[in-house]
Amino acid sequence: MAPLFLTPDELAELTGYARPFDQRRWLEVEGWVFAQNAARRPIVSRAYAETRLGGATVTDARPVKPNFDALKRR
């Protein structure tokens, strides 16, 4: 089973940079969604990377909140 996030080597291959500062800058400039761990290393979801690299359009990486009010009977 593949890891949930890109490995440090995969992130370096993707961005072309080894230093986390440079990786974060590249990800920001290219419009990639990422998080940071406590060491300020960028964390990229494997599923997100596969979607981006596969040519699919990623419109919004934020979680969608369900509208439970729409389920209430009127």
Side-chain angles (χ1 to χ4, degrees):
M1 183 175 189
L4 185 58
F5 302 108
L6 296 183
T7 66
D9 288 340
E10 289 171 327
L11 200 51
E13 178 71 21
L14 173 68
T15 63
Y17 295 101
R19 294 186 324 170
F21 173 84
D22 296 322
Q23 291 172 345
R24 288 192 313 271
R25 187 180 63 215
W26 185 92
L27 291 166
E28 289 169 352
V29 167
E30 295 299 322
W32 281 62
V33 175
F34 67 98
Q36 297 185 94
N37 66 14
R40 301 208 57 208
R41 293 184 87 50
I43 304 297
V44 177
S45 159
R46 179 169 302 282
Y48 176 76
E50 288 174 353
T51 300
R52 285 285 303 251
L53 296 172
T57 302
V58 179
T59 57
D60 193 357
R62 290 174 289 173
V64 176
K65 293 183 181 178
N67 180 1
F68 291 111
D69 290 333
L71 300 175
K72 292 181 181 175
R73 295 184 190 253
R74 295 185 184 233

